[in-house]
Amino acid sequence: MQTLKEDVRQSILRAALNEFKTHDYMDASMRRISAAAGVTTGNIYRYYKNKEELFEALVRPVYEKLIEYVLDVKKELDRSYTGGENDGLKYLNMVEDTIIDLFDAYSAELTILLNRSAGSKYGQVKSDLVALIVTILEDVFTSGREDGDKLTTLQRQSAQMLAGTVVEGVCLILREYEDGETVKRLVNEFIFLYHKGLEHQCKL
Amino acid sequence: MQTLKEDVRQSILRAALNEFKTHDYMDASMRRISAAAGVTTGNIYRYYKNKEELFEALVRPVYEKLIEYVLDVKKELDRSYTGGENDGLKYLNMVEDTIIDLFDAYSAELTILLNRSAGSKYGQVKSDLVALIVTILEDVFTSGREDGDKLTTLQRQSAQMLAGTVVEGVCLILREYEDGETVKRLVNEFIFLYHKGLEHQCKL
Amino acid sequence: MQTLKEDVRQSILRAALNEFKTHDYMDASMRRISAAAGVTTGNIYRYYKNKEELFEALVRPVYEKLIEYVLDVKKELDRSYTGGENDGLKYLNMVEDTIIDLFDAYSAELTILLNRSAGSKYGQVKSDLVALIVTILEDVFTSGREDGDKLTTLQRQSAQMLAGTVVEGVCLILREYEDGETVKRLVNEFIFLYHKGLEHQCKL
Amino acid sequence: MQTLKEDVRQSILRAALNEFKTHDYMDASMRRISAAAGVTTGNIYRYYKNKEELFEALVRPVYEKLIEYVLDVKKELDRSYTGGENDGLKYLNMVEDTIIDLFDAYSAELTILLNRSAGSKYGQVKSDLVALIVTILEDVFTSGREDGDKLTTLQRQSAQMLAGTVVEGVCLILREYEDGETVKRLVNEFIFLYHKGLEHQCKL
DNA sequence: AATGAATGAGCTTTCATTCAT
DNA sequence: CATGAATGAAAGCTCATTCAT
C-alpha cells in the first residue's frame, strides 16, 4: 500500500486542487483533501507543513507570475503609450495575453488564486489586481489630456467598474472552461466585445 | 419584558442581513446574528428552523422575483423579437432594468443571493441565472435564422460567456457600491459598454 | 442535568486544579478536565476562553500577590537592614511569612504556579522568584562589608544555591501537605533549620 | 554504509540523554532523538521497544545504584549507629557521598531520573527516595530512645520534610550546575548548612 | 538492519443546534 | 415564548509507533 513519495505528493496536490476549486480557503477541509488523496490526515503534514503551505504550493507560482506580468505591462505602457487610435485595445490585449499564457500553464490554480483565496494571505489578490489595472487605466485616461487634472469621482468609479468587470470576466471564463484553446478564444472575444461592442460583434 | 413576535423576527432578519452582507453563508455565525439582533441563540430557532431557513427567508423572495422577471423577459422576447437593428440592446436593457428594480427594493438581499450563497442551496443561483440568460440568447440567435438549426458548440460557449460576464459585471457593481443611483449609473454604463464598445465610450 | 452556571464554573476550576496539580501545563488535557468536571469539552470554552485563560484563572491571583509580597520584603530590607546579629533570619522569616499567608488562601494554586507552569507564560516564575531572592541575598552579603566589592563567582553560586533550596524547600512542603497549620509549622521548622542547623534542632 | 549495531545504540543513547536533559519524559520527542542520533525514526524501535524502554535504558542503572547505595547506608546505620554527638552529620554525609559518587559517574542520568521522569514509570522515584530516607531518619530518631515507641505524626512530618528538602536541594544543584567540582562543593556546603545552620556559615 | 512513509489516536478549539429550565 | 448552558461533531495539527520496502 506504500506509494512512492512523489506519487503521494502529486495525489495530495491533485486532491487539494479539487478541494480548493470547490471550497474557499477557509472552508476547505484537510480531512477531505487527505481522504480524496487516499492518504491519512497526518501524512499530509509530512508533505506540507500546514493548510496555508499546501495552498501556497498550488497558488504561489501563479501569483508571482501574475504580478510580474501585470507590472511588465504597466512599464511597457508608461514607456510607449501614445494615446493613438488603438492603444486602448492594444494594451488590454497585452494584459489578457499574459493571463492567457498563465492559464495555459495553470488554469485551475489561477481560478483558485482569484476566486477561492479569501481567508488566506492571498485573499486580497483579486482586488490588488483590479487596483493595479485601475492605476493603468487612470494613467491612460489622464495622459490623453492637456490638463494634468485629477479624475472626477464618477470617472474613478467607472475606471474601477471597467477594471473590475474585465477581471471578473476573465475569472469567469477561467472558472467555466478547462480547455486552453477555448479559454483563449473566449477571452479574445470578450476583449473584442469590450472594444467594439455587441453591435459589431453580431453573429457571434 | 418580551419583545413581540414580529419585532423579534424583524430584528433577526435585520441582523442576518448584515451578517450575510459581510460573510459567506458558510462563514456567517448564528451567534453573531443573535447577538446583533439582541436575541438569544436558542430563540432564533423558534423563528427559523436553522441557518439555511434563515438565509432562505432573506433571499428567497428576491430569488423568485429574479427568476420570474427573467422569465418574463424571455416570454416577451419570444413574443416580439424581430431581429431588428437594436433589439439586442433593447432586451439586454430589459434584463438589466428588472435587476435594477429588484435592486431598488432589495439591494442587500440581491448582493447576498448572488455573492454570498456559496455553501447554501442557493449556491447555484448565479449559474442558474446565467443558464437562463443563455437560453434567451440562444433563442435570439436561432430565431434570426432560416434554418431552425442547432447552434455550434462555439456559439453556445460564446453565449455562455456573454451571459456570464453580464451577470458577473452586475454582481460586481452590486458588491462594490451601496448607493442606488451609483449602481444604476454604472450598470447602464456597463450595458452601454457592452453594446457600443469602449471605442464609442471613450473619455469615460 | 443542567447545572447552574456558578456550579459548573466551580467544578471546572476544581477539575482543572486537580489536573494541573498532577500534570504540567503542557501535558494537562482539556478533555480530562472536562471529563472530571462532568462537563462536555466544548462547554468549558463558555467559561474560559482557552487553556491559558483557565490556567491563568487559577494561578494569576497568587502570582500577583507573590511578586507583590516579595517586592515588599525587598523594599523593607533596603530600608532597614543593619547587618546586625539576627537580620538574616529575620528577613528569611519575612519572605516565608508572606508565602505562608499566600498558602493559607491558595495552597494548591501556589504549587501549580511554582511546579506546573512550564510551557505557560508563568513558566519562569520559579526562577524569577529565585533570582529575586538572590538579589536580596547579594544585597545582604555586600552591605555587611566595608569594600563595596563585587561578590566572587563562588559566592554568587552559593547565594543561588541558598535561594534555590529555600524556594524548593517551601515548594516541597506546599506540594506534600494540604493542611495550613502543618505547612506553617513545617516551613517555620525549615527556616529554623536553615538558621540554626540540625545540631540545635535535635529532637525533632 | 551502515553503522555497527553498538555504535548506533550509543548514539541513540547519547541523543536521548540530551533530549531528556532538556525535556520532561512526556515532552521529549522520539523524532528529535532520532534526528540528533543520525538514525531514522523507525530504526530506534529496533534498539528500544518504545519511549519508556529507551528512557529506562538511560535511567535504570542509576536508579538501581541509587537505591542500593541508600539501602547500604541504612544497613550501615542499623549496624553502627550510637546516637553519639556527630552521628547525624556523619550519616547525612554518607548519603550525600554516595550521591556524589553517582554523580561523578552519571551526572546527567541522575538529573533526568530525579527531575525529568514525570509521566514515566520512574515518576515516583523522587518520592520513593524521600520515603527511603524517611525510614532511615525514623530509625535514627527511635533508636535514640529507651521506649521503642512510635513517632508522633508531627515527628513523621518533620522527618519527611527534612528528607524531602535534602533531596530537593541536591536535585536543584544537579539541575543547575554541570561541573562536577562545583556540584561537589555546593552539595557539601548545603549539607554543612543543614548541619550547622546559617549562623555558623556566615560569610559564604 | 535500516528506511521513512504511513497510521491513527490524541490534542485544543469552534460552532450550529438542542433542551432543561 | 425565551433563555443560555450544554452538546457533539468537526476543524487543523502533532506524534509515538508500525510496516512495506
Side-chain angles (χ1 to χ4, degrees):
Chain A
M1 194 187 289
Q2 185 140 334
T3 334
L4 288 188
K5 212 161 171 291
E6 200 48 37
D7 286 10
V8 174
R9 182 179 296 274
Q10 287 315 315
S11 62
I12 292 172
L13 280 177
R14 207 178 315 122
L17 199 75
N18 285 325
E19 178 74 7
F20 288 122
K21 265 199 294 193
T22 47
H23 299 82
D24 289 351
Y25 175 76
M26 286 294 290
D27 298 332
S29 156
M30 292 297 273
R31 273 179 171 79
R32 269 195 306 260
I33 291 172
S34 57
V39 156
T40 53
T41 324
N43 199 28
I44 278 197
Y45 290 84
R46 291 186 56 76
Y47 295 85
Y48 299 95
K49 210 180 124 217
N50 51 35
K51 199 184 181 179
E52 183 84 41
E53 284 205 359
L54 175 53
F55 188 74
E56 209 163 333
L58 283 175
V59 134
R60 182 167 199 171
V62 202
Y63 172 71
E64 285 175 351
K65 289 217 175 78
L66 182 62
I67 296 300
E68 178 193 344
Y69 285 178
V70 177
L71 288 178
D72 282 355
V73 170
K74 192 171 154 70
K75 225 175 292 169
E76 174 66 18
L77 214 149
D78 288 346
R79 205 177 53 75
S80 72
Y81 184 78
T82 66
E85 172 79 5
N86 283 313
D87 268 21
L89 181 59
K90 180 172 143 208
Y91 287 108
L92 254 185
N93 265 320
M94 278 179 62
V95 178
E96 305 297 339
D97 280 351
T98 157
I99 290 180
I100 299 252
D101 282 354
L102 277 181
F103 177 84
D104 277 342
Y106 311 98
S107 116
E109 291 86 347
L110 196 53
T111 307
I112 291 170
L113 174 65
L114 292 173
N115 296 304
R116 295 299 191 181
S117 56
S120 79
K121 68 178 180 191
Y122 292 91
Q124 308 296 340
V125 167
K126 205 193 267 182
S127 55
D128 287 354
L129 186 59
V130 170
L132 204 50
I133 296 181
V134 166
T135 67
I136 296 179
L137 289 175
E138 290 181 347
D139 282 358
V140 171
F141 295 164
T142 49
S143 78
R145 306 177 170 206
E146 285 79 33
D147 50 351
D149 270 344
K150 302 281 177 99
L151 297 164
T152 64
T153 302
L154 262 58
Q155 287 172 321
R156 272 179 204 289
Q157 286 175 344
S158 295
Q160 268 160 20
M161 184 268 282
L162 192 53
T165 53
V166 166
V167 170
E168 286 294 348
V170 173
C171 286
L172 170 83
I173 295 167
L174 289 176
R175 228 180 294 135
E176 305 289 328
Y177 301 96
E178 304 245 311
D179 164 51
E181 280 311 303
T182 305
V183 170
K184 200 173 294 188
R185 182 177 58 79
L186 286 175
V187 173
N188 277 325
E189 212 170 88
F190 173 65
I191 292 169
F192 194 73
L193 171 69
Y194 254 64
H195 191 56
K196 293 288 186 187
L198 266 177
E199 231 175 29
H200 289 89
Q201 197 132 13
C202 47
K203 14 240 98 115
L204 288 169
Chain B
M1 199 212 85
Q2 276 92 335
T3 333
L4 289 186
K5 214 165 171 290
E6 198 49 35
D7 284 11
V8 173
R9 185 179 295 274
Q10 286 313 316
S11 60
I12 292 173
L13 281 176
R14 209 177 313 121
L17 197 76
N18 285 324
E19 179 72 7
F20 288 122
K21 263 202 293 193
T22 49
H23 298 83
D24 289 352
Y25 175 76
M26 286 293 292
D27 298 333
S29 155
M30 291 297 271
R31 270 180 175 70
R32 272 194 304 258
I33 291 172
S34 54
V39 156
T40 54
T41 334
N43 200 27
I44 278 196
Y45 289 82
R46 294 192 64 79
Y47 293 85
Y48 300 96
K49 204 180 130 215
N50 52 32
K51 201 183 183 180
E52 183 83 41
E53 286 205 355
L54 173 54
F55 188 75
E56 202 161 341
L58 280 176
V59 133
R60 182 166 199 171
V62 202
Y63 171 71
E64 286 176 349
K65 288 216 174 77
L66 183 63
I67 296 300
E68 177 193 344
Y69 284 180
V70 178
L71 288 177
D72 283 354
V73 170
K74 190 171 154 71
K75 228 174 290 169
E76 174 66 16
L77 216 148
D78 286 347
R79 208 176 48 75
S80 70
Y81 184 77
T82 66
E85 174 77 7
N86 282 315
D87 271 17
L89 180 58
K90 181 171 141 207
Y91 288 106
L92 252 186
N93 265 321
M94 279 178 63
V95 178
E96 306 296 340
D97 281 351
T98 159
I99 290 180
I100 300 249
D101 283 352
L102 276 180
F103 177 85
D104 279 341
Y106 309 98
S107 115
E109 290 86 346
L110 196 53
T111 309
I112 292 170
L113 174 65
L114 292 173
N115 295 305
R116 295 299 191 183
S117 56
S120 77
K121 71 175 179 196
Y122 289 89
Q124 307 299 338
V125 165
K126 214 189 262 181
S127 55
D128 289 352
L129 185 59
V130 170
L132 203 50
I133 298 182
V134 165
T135 67
I136 296 179
L137 290 175
E138 291 181 346
D139 282 358
V140 172
F141 296 164
T142 48
S143 78
R145 307 180 171 205
E146 286 77 31
D147 50 355
D149 269 343
K150 301 279 176 104
L151 297 164
T152 65
T153 303
L154 261 59
Q155 286 171 320
R156 271 178 206 289
Q157 287 175 341
S158 294
Q160 269 161 17
M161 184 269 281
L162 191 54
T165 53
V166 167
V167 170
E168 283 296 346
V170 173
C171 287
L172 170 82
I173 295 167
L174 288 176
R175 224 183 296 136
E176 304 289 328
Y177 301 96
E178 300 246 313
D179 165 52
E181 282 310 302
T182 306
V183 170
K184 205 173 291 191
R185 181 178 59 79
L186 287 175
V187 173
N188 278 324
E189 211 172 87
F190 174 65
I191 292 169
F192 194 73
L193 171 70
Y194 255 62
H195 190 57
K196 293 289 185 187
L198 267 177
E199 229 175 30
H200 289 88
Q201 195 133 16
C202 49
K203 12 246 100 116
L204 287 169
Chain C
M1 192 187 287
Q2 185 142 332
T3 334
L4 289 187
K5 212 164 168 288
E6 200 47 38
D7 285 12
V8 174
R9 183 180 295 273
Q10 287 314 317
S11 61
I12 291 173
L13 280 176
R14 208 178 312 122
L17 199 76
N18 285 326
E19 178 74 7
F20 287 124
K21 267 203 292 195
T22 48
H23 299 82
D24 290 352
Y25 175 76
M26 287 294 291
D27 299 331
S29 156
M30 293 297 272
R31 271 181 171 77
R32 270 194 306 259
I33 291 172
S34 57
V39 155
T40 52
T41 325
N43 200 28
I44 280 197
Y45 290 84
R46 291 186 56 74
Y47 294 85
Y48 299 96
K49 209 179 124 217
N50 52 35
K51 200 183 182 182
E52 183 85 41
E53 284 206 359
L54 174 53
F55 188 75
E56 207 162 335
L58 284 174
V59 133
R60 181 167 200 169
V62 203
Y63 171 71
E64 285 175 353
K65 289 218 174 75
L66 182 62
I67 295 302
E68 177 194 344
Y69 285 179
V70 177
L71 288 178
D72 282 355
V73 170
K74 192 171 155 67
K75 226 176 292 172
E76 174 64 19
L77 214 151
D78 288 347
R79 207 176 50 74
S80 72
Y81 185 77
T82 67
E85 175 76 9
N86 282 317
D87 269 18
L89 182 57
K90 180 170 142 207
Y91 287 108
L92 255 186
N93 266 320
M94 279 180 61
V95 178
E96 307 296 341
D97 282 352
T98 159
I99 289 179
I100 299 254
D101 283 353
L102 276 181
F103 177 84
D104 278 342
Y106 311 97
S107 116
E109 290 86 345
L110 197 52
T111 309
I112 291 170
L113 176 64
L114 292 172
N115 296 303
R116 295 299 189 183
S117 56
S120 80
K121 68 177 180 193
Y122 292 92
Q124 307 297 340
V125 167
K126 203 193 267 182
S127 56
D128 287 354
L129 186 59
V130 170
L132 204 49
I133 297 181
V134 166
T135 68
I136 295 179
L137 289 175
E138 289 182 348
D139 282 359
V140 171
F141 295 165
T142 50
S143 79
R145 308 177 169 205
E146 285 80 28
D147 51 353
D149 269 344
K150 300 282 176 98
L151 297 165
T152 65
T153 302
L154 263 55
Q155 287 172 320
R156 273 179 201 289
Q157 286 174 344
S158 295
Q160 268 159 21
M161 185 268 283
L162 193 52
T165 53
V166 167
V167 170
E168 285 294 348
V170 173
C171 287
L172 171 82
I173 295 167
L174 290 177
R175 229 181 292 135
E176 304 289 327
Y177 301 97
E178 304 245 312
D179 164 51
E181 281 311 305
T182 306
V183 170
K184 202 173 292 189
R185 183 177 58 76
L186 287 175
V187 172
N188 277 326
E189 212 171 85
F190 174 63
I191 292 169
F192 195 72
L193 171 70
Y194 254 63
H195 191 56
K196 293 289 185 188
L198 265 178
E199 232 176 27
H200 289 90
Q201 198 133 14
C202 48
K203 12 244 99 116
L204 288 170
Chain D
M1 200 212 81
Q2 276 92 336
T3 331
L4 289 187
K5 214 165 168 298
E6 200 47 36
D7 285 11
V8 173
R9 184 180 297 272
Q10 287 313 315
S11 60
I12 292 172
L13 281 176
R14 209 177 313 121
L17 198 77
N18 285 325
E19 178 72 8
F20 288 123
K21 265 202 295 194
T22 47
H23 299 83
D24 290 351
Y25 176 76
M26 287 292 292
D27 298 332
S29 155
M30 293 296 272
R31 270 181 176 69
R32 272 195 303 259
I33 292 172
S34 55
V39 156
T40 54
T41 333
N43 201 27
I44 279 197
Y45 289 83
R46 293 193 64 79
Y47 293 85
Y48 300 97
K49 204 179 128 216
N50 52 33
K51 202 183 182 181
E52 184 83 43
E53 286 206 357
L54 173 54
F55 188 74
E56 203 161 341
L58 280 176
V59 133
R60 182 166 201 169
V62 204
Y63 172 71
E64 285 176 350
K65 287 216 175 76
L66 183 62
I67 295 301
E68 177 194 345
Y69 284 180
V70 178
L71 288 178
D72 282 354
V73 170
K74 190 171 155 70
K75 227 175 290 172
E76 175 64 20
L77 215 151
D78 288 347
R79 208 177 48 74
S80 72
Y81 184 76
T82 66
E85 175 76 8
N86 282 317
D87 270 19
L89 182 57
K90 182 171 140 207
Y91 288 108
L92 252 187
N93 265 320
M94 278 179 62
V95 178
E96 307 297 340
D97 281 352
T98 158
I99 288 179
I100 299 253
D101 282 353
L102 275 181
F103 178 84
D104 279 343
Y106 308 97
S107 118
E109 290 86 345
L110 197 52
T111 309
I112 291 169
L113 175 64
L114 292 172
N115 296 304
R116 295 297 190 182
S117 56
S120 79
K121 69 177 181 194
Y122 289 90
Q124 307 299 337
V125 165
K126 211 190 264 183
S127 56
D128 289 353
L129 184 60
V130 170
L132 203 49
I133 297 181
V134 165
T135 68
I136 296 180
L137 289 174
E138 289 181 347
D139 283 358
V140 171
F141 295 165
T142 49
S143 80
R145 308 177 169 204
E146 285 79 29
D147 50 353
D149 269 344
K150 302 279 177 103
L151 297 165
T152 64
T153 303
L154 263 56
Q155 287 171 319
R156 273 179 201 289
Q157 288 174 341
S158 295
Q160 270 160 18
M161 184 269 282
L162 193 53
T165 53
V166 167
V167 170
E168 283 295 348
V170 173
C171 287
L172 172 81
I173 296 167
L174 288 175
R175 226 182 296 136
E176 304 288 328
Y177 301 97
E178 301 246 313
D179 164 52
E181 281 311 304
T182 305
V183 169
K184 204 173 292 190
R185 182 178 59 77
L186 286 174
V187 172
N188 277 324
E189 211 172 86
F190 175 64
I191 292 170
F192 194 72
L193 171 70
Y194 254 63
H195 191 56
K196 293 288 186 188
L198 267 177
E199 230 177 29
H200 289 89
Q201 196 133 13
C202 49
K203 17 244 95 112
L204 289 168

